[in-house]
Amino acid sequence: MLGRLFSFALFQVVGAAFGWWFCRSFMPVSAPTLAPMLLSALVSSYFWQVLDVALGMRVLRWLSSGDTLQTQVGFGLWGEISDRVRRLARSRERAVQQRDGRFQDFLAAMQASPNGVVLLDDDLRIEWFNQSAQSHFGLEGTRDLFQHFGNLVRDPGFAAYLATGDFKSDVLMPGRASTAAKPVRLSVHMHPYGDGRRLLLSRDVTAVEQAEAMRRDFVANVSHEIRTPLTVLSGFVETLQSLSLTEQERVRYLDLMAQQAERMQSLVSDLLTLSRLEGSPLPSAQEWVPMAPLFEHCRQEVTELSRVLWGQPQQLYFEIAPDIAVAGSSTELHSAMLNLIGNAVRYTPEGKNIYVRWQAQADGGAVFAVRDEGVGIAPEHIPRLTERFYRVDRSRSRETGGTGLGLAIVKHVSQRHGAELSIASTPGQGSTFTVRFPASRVRLPAEPVSAPTSVPVSAAA
Ligand code: ADP
């Protein structure tokens, strides 16, 4: 402000000095000098004001040009004003950019959400949606923006939910990609916010629902499996308590009771094995299990099983490559082997052959295969065989001491060792169960593997 006053005064002093100089130079010496000096000072002050207004106009033009961020105009007071405006505009611009950046981050986070998010206006028209909502409801980019949500999602359950206007809880509905073979279930919840607007959240609950259904089935199956032998047992106990039996009858009843107790024991033991497989850390990749002794152990066990089950025993052929080790748990591997070879014994009629093979593969892996000449399995059952309690022939499974959990255990053990279980079968001709171990889990002998020895082992032997 002082500068401005000073410049104004300076203009007048310079004007007066000019008037004096003009009088002295161009007028007679006797002529008065005061009036021209005053006049000249007045003209200078007008000139100063015109200059000031011109500068002010320039600043006004600059303000309305919108280019306040880059340049600065004028000097003095006007220069100062334009500089402050420029600084203010810059700090505002920075604040807007920061807000914009935060908003973009927020939108990116909403896009990355595994849950569907749809923003609806007060008339339920779509304002924004993320990618998950796009796949949940089959929405499409700009095509569905500003469309009424109820017109695009026409599930009756959801329509009723919208109609009631009671959004305290969620509603379950099928997803857009849901088919009978591959159902998709969504939980959809509407949350009112702002001025009549709605936030719609969707969550894929297919896995949760399937797990819940599996849990229910599992509890029902276990209860059923245990209830049957328990009922039989309590029936025998009642008989023993209420009737006077001959010694022969008593021994027979006690035998039958022992069978039922054994059945419950195998069931509990298989259930415990499964729960250990699910709950324990993956088997070590550093602990090497030599497989040949495990096969030898299994051979003795299934030979005994075959002798107990069948009057005329089966022929068991073991072709076991020596010195191949697998990284993992020997207990789990033994359990998987025993289940597969045991099944072959149980589902193959007497007098038929069973072939067990363990050999290295060209890729450095190894294969364990059990082939039988038994009853075989119809193709429609094969994909479901590893489900818990799934049985093709219920009575045969029970008669031979099956629990319906054997192949579920084999599948778990295979997965935990990075191996793959495959099943091939022809009804009436037999089945082959194959477990392929990857090279990363297999240690082959340093020498080239010698041809496996084929040893027919008669169960009767
Ligand atoms: P289970 O204890 O009933 O044998 P598993 O899980 O071991 O239960 O097998 C599931 C079902 O698969 C069996 O009930 C049986 O019907 C069928 N199965 C398994 N192995 C064989 C086989 N080698 N030959 C024919 N059917 C088999």
Side-chain angles (χ1 to χ4, degrees):
M1 196 63 196
L2 271 178
R4 190 172 166 78
L5 285 176
F6 177 73
S7 72
F8 184 62
L10 187 68
F11 256 74
Q12 285 178 327
V13 169
V14 169
F18 178 77
W20 180 82
W21 171 78
F22 191 81
C23 287
R24 280 280 160 266
S25 307
F26 301 106
M27 290 172 83
V29 179
S30 56
T33 54
L34 190 62
M37 277 174 74
L38 284 175
L39 187 68
S40 180
L42 193 67
V43 169
S44 302
S45 71
Y46 274 127
F47 184 64
W48 183 90
Q49 277 173 14
V50 168
L51 203 66
D52 193 49
V53 167
L55 271 178
M57 295 289 289
R58 204 173 144 207
V59 170
L60 263 182
R61 273 201 305 279
W62 170 76
L63 278 176
S64 29
S65 75
D67 189 24
T68 48
L69 283 178
Q70 305 307 331
T71 53
Q72 181 199 344
V73 290
F75 47 83
L77 183 70
W78 292 112
E80 181 71 21
I81 289 173
S82 71
D83 186 42
R84 293 211 181 167
V85 167
R86 187 173 58 96
R87 273 192 262 163
L88 194 68
R90 276 196 179 172
S91 81
R92 286 266 162 88
E93 175 75 8
R94 262 199 301 274
V96 168
Q97 272 174 1
Q98 274 173 3
R99 246 197 323 260
D100 203 42
R102 276 203 297 273
F103 180 64
Q104 291 305 330
D105 288 348
F106 175 72
L107 282 186
M110 298 243 278
Q111 278 292 9
S113 164
N115 293 339
V117 181
V118 185
L119 302 183
L120 302 168
D121 68 8
D122 52 352
D123 200 23
L124 289 182
R125 289 180 193 284
I126 300 173
E127 290 186 322
W128 184 88
F129 54 84
N130 69 354
Q131 267 164 10
S132 300
Q134 196 165 334
S135 67
H136 285 173
F137 302 109
L139 301 176
E140 216 174 85
T142 45
R143 187 198 66 186
D144 293 331
L145 274 185
F146 307 112
Q147 298 294 318
H148 192 280
F149 194 72
N151 290 343
L152 299 175
V153 178
R154 291 175 170 276
D155 175 68
F158 180 71
Y161 179 71
L162 274 189
T164 57
D166 177 9
F167 303 133
K168 279 198 222 63
S169 57
D170 58 348
V171 63
L172 290 176
M173 58 175 276
R176 182 59 172 246
S178 185
T179 57
K182 203 166 171 266
V184 177
R185 296 286 292 162
L186 297 180
S187 150
V188 180
H189 202 163
M190 190 91 89
H191 301 270
Y193 77 101
D195 195 10
R197 293 188 139 78
R198 314 279 164 81
L199 166 72
L200 185 133
L201 297 179
S202 59
R203 198 158 52 92
D204 188 333
V205 290
T206 318
V208 179
E209 286 214 337
Q210 278 171 352
E212 179 54 24
M214 265 173 69
R215 194 191 61 77
R216 272 197 310 268
D217 287 355
F218 184 69
V219 172
N221 276 323
V222 171
S223 315
H224 177 77
E225 294 291 331
I226 292 205
R227 200 176 49 207
T228 316
L230 260 184
T231 316
V232 179
L233 259 182
S234 63
F236 284 135
V237 170
E238 232 171 73
T239 313
L240 284 173
Q241 283 170 337
S242 54
L243 297 178
S244 59
L245 302 168
T246 62
E247 181 57 19
Q248 204 185 2
E249 282 170 331
R250 204 180 62 82
V251 169
R252 197 167 66 85
Y253 282 5
L254 284 175
D255 269 356
L256 291 170
M257 286 167 76
Q259 272 174 25
Q260 298 303 321
E262 207 175 296
R263 198 173 139 192
M264 283 198 289
Q265 250 171 359
S266 341
L267 182 68
V268 171
S269 149
D270 275 1
L271 282 172
L272 284 175
T273 307
L274 259 184
S275 101
R276 261 197 304 275
L277 288 174
E278 283 174 345
S280 58
L282 285 181
S284 157
Q286 264 77 48
E287 208 172 301
W288 292 99
V289 180
M291 295 291 273
L294 280 190
F295 277 107
E296 176 53 26
H297 198 185
C298 278
R299 191 185 62 77
Q300 286 166 11
E301 286 168 290
V302 292
T303 305
E304 185 56 31
L305 177 70
S306 176
R307 205 188 338 251
V308 171
L309 283 179
W310 308 103
Q312 194 196 338
Q314 298 140 327
Q315 287 288 328
L316 293 161
Y317 292 89
F318 277 73
E319 292 185 14
I320 307 301
D323 302 330
I324 302 180
V326 167
S329 150
S330 67
T331 332
E332 292 183 19
L333 292 167
H334 175 251
S335 163
M337 280 176 190
L338 197 59
N339 269 303
L340 284 187
I341 310 174
N343 276 355
V345 169
R346 289 166 49 228
Y347 298 104
T348 302
E350 50 199 284
K352 297 277 183 169
N353 299 329
I354 294 168
Y355 303 89
V356 179
R357 194 163 47 85
W358 170 243
Q359 61 181 200
Q361 293 293 95
D363 63 359
V367 161
F368 159 46
V370 182
R371 180 163 71 84
D372 64 53
E373 295 174 347
V375 291
I377 307 157
E380 66 271 21
H381 295 293
I382 292 181
R384 300 197 58 192
L385 287 184
T386 54
E387 285 175 24
R388 291 158 192 202
F389 299 112
Y390 189 85
R391 291 162 167 126
V392 181
D393 182 346
R394 218 155 250 282
S395 58
R396 186 172 188 140
S397 160
R398 292 228 172 90
E399 276 162 25
T400 55
T403 59
L405 296 173
L407 290 181
I409 292 175
V410 174
K411 187 178 133 192
H412 266 283
V413 172
S414 305
Q415 281 174 346
R416 285 164 63 81
H417 287 79
E420 199 188 319
L421 167 70
S422 55
I423 305 168
S425 187
T426 311
Q429 288 185 21
S431 317
T432 305
F433 289 74
T434 311
V435 182
R436 273 169 226 285
F437 289 88
S440 57
R441 282 267 175 184
V442 172
R443 192 177 66 191
L444 303 176
E447 296 290 304
V449 185
S450 54
T453 43
S454 173
V455 188
V457 184
S458 163

mmCIF file of all heavy atoms in Angstrom, residues 270 339-340 343-344 346-348 372 374-377 385 387 390-394 397-398 401-408 425 431 433, ligand 1:
data_model
loop_
_atom_site.group_PDB
_atom_site.id
_atom_site.type_symbol
_atom_site.label_atom_id
_atom_site.label_comp_id
_atom_site.label_asym_id
_atom_site.label_seq_id
_atom_site.Cartn_x
_atom_site.Cartn_y
_atom_site.Cartn_z
ATOM 1 N N ASP A 270 -11.754 -94.999 10.750
ATOM 2 C CA ASP A 270 -11.681 -94.290 9.460
ATOM 3 C C ASP A 270 -12.027 -92.814 9.629
ATOM 4 O O ASP A 270 -11.425 -91.941 8.994
ATOM 5 C CB ASP A 270 -12.637 -94.933 8.442
ATOM 6 C CG ASP A 270 -11.972 -96.121 7.750
ATOM 7 O OD1 ASP A 270 -10.815 -96.411 8.092
ATOM 8 O OD2 ASP A 270 -12.622 -96.763 6.900
ATOM 9 N N ASN A 339 -6.158 -99.464 1.608
ATOM 10 C CA ASN A 339 -7.541 -99.253 1.189
ATOM 11 C C ASN A 339 -7.753 -99.701 -0.245
ATOM 12 O O ASN A 339 -8.749 -100.367 -0.554
ATOM 13 C CB ASN A 339 -7.911 -97.768 1.320
ATOM 14 C CG ASN A 339 -8.497 -97.470 2.680
ATOM 15 O OD1 ASN A 339 -9.479 -98.072 3.075
ATOM 16 N ND2 ASN A 339 -7.878 -96.561 3.414
ATOM 17 N N LEU A 340 -6.805 -99.337 -1.144
ATOM 18 C CA LEU A 340 -7.001 -99.688 -2.562
ATOM 19 C C LEU A 340 -6.871 -101.193 -2.784
ATOM 20 O O LEU A 340 -7.706 -101.801 -3.464
ATOM 21 C CB LEU A 340 -5.983 -98.946 -3.440
ATOM 22 C CG LEU A 340 -6.268 -97.465 -3.680
ATOM 23 C CD1 LEU A 340 -5.293 -96.899 -4.692
ATOM 24 C CD2 LEU A 340 -7.701 -97.249 -4.173
ATOM 25 N N ASN A 343 -9.821 -102.973 -1.147
ATOM 26 C CA ASN A 343 -11.048 -102.877 -1.960
ATOM 27 C C ASN A 343 -11.029 -103.908 -3.084
ATOM 28 O O ASN A 343 -12.041 -104.553 -3.376
ATOM 29 C CB ASN A 343 -11.172 -101.481 -2.577
ATOM 30 C CG ASN A 343 -11.801 -100.498 -1.604
ATOM 31 O OD1 ASN A 343 -12.223 -100.887 -0.522
ATOM 32 N ND2 ASN A 343 -11.850 -99.239 -1.975
ATOM 33 N N ALA A 344 -9.846 -104.045 -3.735
ATOM 34 C CA ALA A 344 -9.749 -105.006 -4.837
ATOM 35 C C ALA A 344 -10.084 -106.407 -4.324
ATOM 36 O O ALA A 344 -10.818 -107.164 -4.974
ATOM 37 C CB ALA A 344 -8.342 -104.972 -5.430
ATOM 38 N N ARG A 346 -11.950 -107.103 -1.708
ATOM 39 C CA ARG A 346 -13.356 -107.186 -1.280
ATOM 40 C C ARG A 346 -14.334 -107.220 -2.454
ATOM 41 O O ARG A 346 -15.423 -107.769 -2.346
ATOM 42 C CB ARG A 346 -13.662 -106.019 -0.350
ATOM 43 C CG ARG A 346 -12.961 -106.197 0.994
ATOM 44 C CD ARG A 346 -12.944 -104.935 1.822
ATOM 45 N NE ARG A 346 -14.245 -104.343 1.895
ATOM 46 C CZ ARG A 346 -14.473 -103.044 1.673
ATOM 47 N NH1 ARG A 346 -13.483 -102.228 1.374
ATOM 48 N NH2 ARG A 346 -15.681 -102.591 1.750
ATOM 49 N N TYR A 347 -13.958 -106.554 -3.576
ATOM 50 C CA TYR A 347 -14.908 -106.471 -4.691
ATOM 51 C C TYR A 347 -14.516 -107.387 -5.857
ATOM 52 O O TYR A 347 -14.948 -107.190 -6.983
ATOM 53 C CB TYR A 347 -15.060 -105.015 -5.157
ATOM 54 C CG TYR A 347 -15.619 -104.145 -4.053
ATOM 55 C CD1 TYR A 347 -14.806 -103.282 -3.337
ATOM 56 C CD2 TYR A 347 -16.964 -104.234 -3.704
ATOM 57 C CE1 TYR A 347 -15.316 -102.510 -2.307
ATOM 58 C CE2 TYR A 347 -17.479 -103.465 -2.666
ATOM 59 C CZ TYR A 347 -16.654 -102.606 -1.969
ATOM 60 O OH TYR A 347 -17.167 -101.860 -0.949
ATOM 61 N N THR A 348 -13.670 -108.375 -5.588
ATOM 62 C CA THR A 348 -13.295 -109.333 -6.637
ATOM 63 C C THR A 348 -13.696 -110.741 -6.177
ATOM 64 O O THR A 348 -13.340 -111.139 -5.058
ATOM 65 C CB THR A 348 -11.762 -109.284 -6.880
ATOM 66 O OG1 THR A 348 -11.428 -107.959 -7.239
ATOM 67 C CG2 THR A 348 -11.342 -110.228 -7.994
ATOM 68 N N ASP A 372 -7.988 -105.146 -10.761
ATOM 69 C CA ASP A 372 -8.660 -106.384 -10.336
ATOM 70 C C ASP A 372 -9.559 -106.891 -11.452
ATOM 71 O O ASP A 372 -9.842 -106.172 -12.414
ATOM 72 C CB ASP A 372 -9.438 -106.157 -9.032
ATOM 73 C CG ASP A 372 -10.558 -105.162 -9.179
ATOM 74 O OD1 ASP A 372 -11.396 -105.325 -10.080
ATOM 75 O OD2 ASP A 372 -10.614 -104.181 -8.386
ATOM 76 N N GLY A 374 -12.625 -107.869 -10.849
ATOM 77 C CA GLY A 374 -13.826 -107.975 -10.026
ATOM 78 C C GLY A 374 -15.096 -107.479 -10.681
ATOM 79 O O GLY A 374 -15.213 -107.459 -11.915
ATOM 80 N N VAL A 375 -16.014 -107.012 -9.832
ATOM 81 C CA VAL A 375 -17.367 -106.683 -10.305
ATOM 82 C C VAL A 375 -17.395 -105.451 -11.202
ATOM 83 O O VAL A 375 -18.313 -105.259 -11.989
ATOM 84 C CB VAL A 375 -18.324 -106.447 -9.108
ATOM 85 C CG1 VAL A 375 -18.589 -107.736 -8.371
ATOM 86 C CG2 VAL A 375 -17.780 -105.378 -8.153
ATOM 87 N N GLY A 376 -16.374 -104.579 -11.091
ATOM 88 C CA GLY A 376 -16.343 -103.353 -11.902
ATOM 89 C C GLY A 376 -17.348 -102.309 -11.406
ATOM 90 O O GLY A 376 -18.158 -102.578 -10.501
ATOM 91 N N ILE A 377 -17.281 -101.117 -12.007
ATOM 92 C CA ILE A 377 -18.132 -100.006 -11.545
ATOM 93 C C ILE A 377 -18.721 -99.312 -12.777
ATOM 94 O O ILE A 377 -17.996 -99.014 -13.744
ATOM 95 C CB ILE A 377 -17.282 -98.978 -10.759
ATOM 96 C CG1 ILE A 377 -16.497 -99.676 -9.640
ATOM 97 C CG2 ILE A 377 -18.133 -97.852 -10.176
ATOM 98 C CD1 ILE A 377 -15.274 -98.928 -9.177
ATOM 99 N N LEU A 385 -17.144 -91.696 -6.450
ATOM 100 C CA LEU A 385 -16.644 -92.747 -5.558
ATOM 101 C C LEU A 385 -15.862 -92.215 -4.361
ATOM 102 O O LEU A 385 -15.853 -92.825 -3.297
ATOM 103 C CB LEU A 385 -15.739 -93.717 -6.333
ATOM 104 C CG LEU A 385 -16.445 -94.677 -7.286
ATOM 105 C CD1 LEU A 385 -15.439 -95.627 -7.890
ATOM 106 C CD2 LEU A 385 -17.531 -95.469 -6.547
ATOM 107 N N GLU A 387 -16.440 -89.552 -2.685
ATOM 108 C CA GLU A 387 -17.268 -88.836 -1.691
ATOM 109 C C GLU A 387 -17.424 -89.717 -0.461
ATOM 110 O O GLU A 387 -17.523 -90.944 -0.591
ATOM 111 C CB GLU A 387 -18.664 -88.558 -2.254
ATOM 112 C CG GLU A 387 -18.694 -87.447 -3.260
ATOM 113 C CD GLU A 387 -20.088 -87.301 -3.865
ATOM 114 O OE1 GLU A 387 -21.081 -87.698 -3.233
ATOM 115 O OE2 GLU A 387 -20.146 -86.789 -4.999
ATOM 116 N N TYR A 390 -20.130 -92.725 -0.033
ATOM 117 C CA TYR A 390 -20.745 -93.095 -1.314
ATOM 118 C C TYR A 390 -20.413 -94.551 -1.603
ATOM 119 O O TYR A 390 -19.244 -94.946 -1.604
ATOM 120 C CB TYR A 390 -20.229 -92.195 -2.441
ATOM 121 C CG TYR A 390 -21.000 -92.400 -3.716
ATOM 122 C CD1 TYR A 390 -22.187 -91.718 -3.937
ATOM 123 C CD2 TYR A 390 -20.578 -93.322 -4.679
ATOM 124 C CE1 TYR A 390 -22.927 -91.924 -5.087
ATOM 125 C CE2 TYR A 390 -21.314 -93.543 -5.827
ATOM 126 C CZ TYR A 390 -22.485 -92.837 -6.020
ATOM 127 O OH TYR A 390 -23.233 -93.053 -7.152
ATOM 128 N N ARG A 391 -21.438 -95.333 -1.814
ATOM 129 C CA ARG A 391 -21.213 -96.757 -2.121
ATOM 130 C C ARG A 391 -22.049 -97.155 -3.317
ATOM 131 O O ARG A 391 -23.172 -96.686 -3.466
ATOM 132 C CB ARG A 391 -21.654 -97.626 -0.943
ATOM 133 C CG ARG A 391 -20.771 -97.492 0.276
ATOM 134 C CD ARG A 391 -21.551 -98.019 1.413
ATOM 135 N NE ARG A 391 -20.760 -98.249 2.592
ATOM 136 C CZ ARG A 391 -21.086 -97.728 3.755
ATOM 137 N NH1 ARG A 391 -22.137 -96.952 3.866
ATOM 138 N NH2 ARG A 391 -20.364 -97.992 4.809
ATOM 139 N N VAL A 392 -21.469 -97.999 -4.172
ATOM 140 C CA VAL A 392 -22.225 -98.478 -5.332
ATOM 141 C C VAL A 392 -23.127 -99.617 -4.862
ATOM 142 O O VAL A 392 -24.326 -99.620 -5.099
ATOM 143 C CB VAL A 392 -21.270 -98.980 -6.440
ATOM 144 C CG1 VAL A 392 -22.061 -99.453 -7.649
ATOM 145 C CG2 VAL A 392 -20.303 -97.876 -6.833
ATOM 146 N N ASP A 393 -22.525 -100.563 -4.152
ATOM 147 C CA ASP A 393 -23.297 -101.710 -3.667
ATOM 148 C C ASP A 393 -23.203 -101.718 -2.137
ATOM 149 O O ASP A 393 -22.227 -102.174 -1.556
ATOM 150 C CB ASP A 393 -22.682 -102.997 -4.273
ATOM 151 C CG ASP A 393 -23.451 -104.238 -3.849
ATOM 152 O OD1 ASP A 393 -24.256 -104.132 -2.906
ATOM 153 O OD2 ASP A 393 -23.222 -105.306 -4.462
ATOM 154 N N ARG A 394 -24.255 -101.149 -1.529
ATOM 155 C CA ARG A 394 -24.250 -100.926 -0.085
ATOM 156 C C ARG A 394 -24.075 -102.242 0.699
ATOM 157 O O ARG A 394 -23.242 -102.336 1.596
ATOM 158 C CB ARG A 394 -25.602 -100.303 0.288
ATOM 159 C CG ARG A 394 -25.518 -99.250 1.345
ATOM 160 C CD ARG A 394 -26.673 -98.287 1.251
ATOM 161 N NE ARG A 394 -26.189 -97.002 0.786
ATOM 162 C CZ ARG A 394 -25.565 -96.145 1.562
ATOM 163 N NH1 ARG A 394 -25.346 -96.440 2.818
ATOM 164 N NH2 ARG A 394 -25.154 -95.003 1.094
ATOM 165 N N SER A 397 -20.634 -103.774 0.439
ATOM 166 C CA SER A 397 -19.665 -103.000 1.211
ATOM 167 C C SER A 397 -19.749 -103.380 2.686
ATOM 168 O O SER A 397 -18.744 -103.630 3.340
ATOM 169 C CB SER A 397 -19.947 -101.504 1.012
ATOM 170 O OG SER A 397 -19.368 -100.762 2.036
ATOM 171 N N ARG A 398 -20.998 -103.441 3.204
ATOM 172 C CA ARG A 398 -21.170 -103.750 4.638
ATOM 173 C C ARG A 398 -20.729 -105.173 4.949
ATOM 174 O O ARG A 398 -20.029 -105.419 5.919
ATOM 175 C CB ARG A 398 -22.641 -103.578 5.024
ATOM 176 C CG ARG A 398 -23.075 -102.135 4.961
ATOM 177 C CD ARG A 398 -23.834 -101.718 6.216
ATOM 178 N NE ARG A 398 -24.052 -100.287 6.170
ATOM 179 C CZ ARG A 398 -25.119 -99.716 5.632
ATOM 180 N NH1 ARG A 398 -26.072 -100.464 5.118
ATOM 181 N NH2 ARG A 398 -25.245 -98.417 5.634
ATOM 182 N N GLY A 401 -17.154 -105.530 5.419
ATOM 183 C CA GLY A 401 -16.532 -104.660 6.442
ATOM 184 C C GLY A 401 -16.199 -103.265 5.966
ATOM 185 O O GLY A 401 -15.366 -102.583 6.562
ATOM 186 N N GLY A 402 -16.854 -102.796 4.875
ATOM 187 C CA GLY A 402 -16.564 -101.440 4.361
ATOM 188 C C GLY A 402 -17.226 -100.353 5.200
ATOM 189 O O GLY A 402 -18.271 -100.569 5.808
ATOM 190 N N THR A 403 -16.594 -99.183 5.184
ATOM 191 C CA THR A 403 -17.169 -98.055 5.927
ATOM 192 C C THR A 403 -17.663 -96.957 4.980
ATOM 193 O O THR A 403 -18.303 -96.013 5.398
ATOM 194 C CB THR A 403 -16.104 -97.415 6.836
ATOM 195 O OG1 THR A 403 -15.027 -96.977 6.004
ATOM 196 C CG2 THR A 403 -15.605 -98.379 7.879
ATOM 197 N N GLY A 404 -17.308 -97.070 3.694
ATOM 198 C CA GLY A 404 -17.693 -96.025 2.742
ATOM 199 C C GLY A 404 -16.739 -94.837 2.795
ATOM 200 O O GLY A 404 -16.993 -93.808 2.166
ATOM 201 N N LEU A 405 -15.640 -94.983 3.540
ATOM 202 C CA LEU A 405 -14.712 -93.849 3.683
ATOM 203 C C LEU A 405 -13.342 -94.128 3.046
ATOM 204 O O LEU A 405 -12.499 -93.245 2.966
ATOM 205 C CB LEU A 405 -14.499 -93.529 5.171
ATOM 206 C CG LEU A 405 -15.747 -93.051 5.923
ATOM 207 C CD1 LEU A 405 -15.456 -92.931 7.405
ATOM 208 C CD2 LEU A 405 -16.227 -91.719 5.377
ATOM 209 N N GLY A 406 -13.144 -95.370 2.596
ATOM 210 C CA GLY A 406 -11.817 -95.781 2.114
ATOM 211 C C GLY A 406 -11.292 -94.907 0.985
ATOM 212 O O GLY A 406 -10.165 -94.400 1.046
ATOM 213 N N LEU A 407 -12.105 -94.700 -0.067
ATOM 214 C CA LEU A 407 -11.598 -93.938 -1.217
ATOM 215 C C LEU A 407 -11.463 -92.450 -0.880
ATOM 216 O O LEU A 407 -10.623 -91.759 -1.467
ATOM 217 C CB LEU A 407 -12.499 -94.147 -2.432
ATOM 218 C CG LEU A 407 -12.414 -95.560 -3.039
ATOM 219 C CD1 LEU A 407 -13.325 -95.682 -4.260
ATOM 220 C CD2 LEU A 407 -10.989 -95.904 -3.429
ATOM 221 N N ALA A 408 -12.290 -91.965 0.070
ATOM 222 C CA ALA A 408 -12.131 -90.563 0.507
ATOM 223 C C ALA A 408 -10.755 -90.407 1.157
ATOM 224 O O ALA A 408 -10.053 -89.412 0.930
ATOM 225 C CB ALA A 408 -13.231 -90.182 1.493
ATOM 226 N N SER A 425 -12.784 -98.338 -15.058
ATOM 227 C CA SER A 425 -13.481 -99.584 -14.734
ATOM 228 C C SER A 425 -14.462 -99.985 -15.831
ATOM 229 O O SER A 425 -15.015 -99.128 -16.525
ATOM 230 C CB SER A 425 -14.229 -99.394 -13.408
ATOM 231 O OG SER A 425 -14.783 -100.620 -12.998
ATOM 232 N N SER A 431 -11.643 -103.344 -12.387
ATOM 233 C CA SER A 431 -11.319 -101.924 -12.218
ATOM 234 C C SER A 431 -9.823 -101.749 -12.051
ATOM 235 O O SER A 431 -9.125 -102.659 -11.611
ATOM 236 C CB SER A 431 -11.989 -101.361 -10.952
ATOM 237 O OG SER A 431 -13.298 -101.827 -10.844
ATOM 238 N N PHE A 433 -7.329 -98.853 -10.237
ATOM 239 C CA PHE A 433 -7.146 -97.616 -9.463
ATOM 240 C C PHE A 433 -5.661 -97.256 -9.567
ATOM 241 O O PHE A 433 -4.810 -98.092 -9.245
ATOM 242 C CB PHE A 433 -7.551 -97.815 -7.998
ATOM 243 C CG PHE A 433 -9.037 -97.956 -7.811
ATOM 244 C CD1 PHE A 433 -9.687 -99.126 -8.166
ATOM 245 C CD2 PHE A 433 -9.787 -96.911 -7.286
ATOM 246 C CE1 PHE A 433 -11.057 -99.269 -8.008
ATOM 247 C CE2 PHE A 433 -11.159 -97.034 -7.131
ATOM 248 C CZ PHE A 433 -11.802 -98.224 -7.493
HETATM 249 P P1 ADP B 1 -16.231 -99.063 1.087
HETATM 250 O O1 ADP B 1 -15.763 -99.110 2.463
HETATM 251 O O2 ADP B 1 -17.709 -99.171 0.949
HETATM 252 O O3 ADP B 1 -15.506 -99.986 0.199
HETATM 253 P P2 ADP B 1 -14.791 -97.046 -0.376
HETATM 254 O O4 ADP B 1 -14.757 -95.579 -0.214
HETATM 255 O O5 ADP B 1 -13.520 -97.782 -0.227
HETATM 256 O O6 ADP B 1 -15.903 -97.568 0.592
HETATM 257 O O7 ADP B 1 -15.366 -97.333 -1.816
HETATM 258 C C1 ADP B 1 -16.544 -96.704 -2.225
HETATM 259 C C2 ADP B 1 -17.331 -97.621 -3.125
HETATM 260 O O8 ADP B 1 -16.621 -97.791 -4.352
HETATM 261 C C3 ADP B 1 -17.515 -99.005 -2.591
HETATM 262 O O9 ADP B 1 -18.670 -99.078 -1.758
HETATM 263 C C4 ADP B 1 -17.672 -99.832 -3.839
HETATM 264 O O10 ADP B 1 -19.015 -99.803 -4.242
HETATM 265 C C5 ADP B 1 -16.848 -99.093 -4.863
HETATM 266 N N1 ADP B 1 -15.522 -99.710 -5.066
HETATM 267 C C6 ADP B 1 -14.379 -99.365 -4.486
HETATM 268 N N2 ADP B 1 -13.353 -100.151 -4.924
HETATM 269 C C7 ADP B 1 -13.891 -101.008 -5.824
HETATM 270 C C8 ADP B 1 -13.375 -102.052 -6.643
HETATM 271 N N3 ADP B 1 -12.063 -102.389 -6.649
HETATM 272 N N4 ADP B 1 -14.235 -102.718 -7.457
HETATM 273 C C9 ADP B 1 -15.541 -102.369 -7.478
HETATM 274 N N5 ADP B 1 -16.093 -101.406 -6.740
HETATM 275 C C10 ADP B 1 -15.293 -100.721 -5.912
#
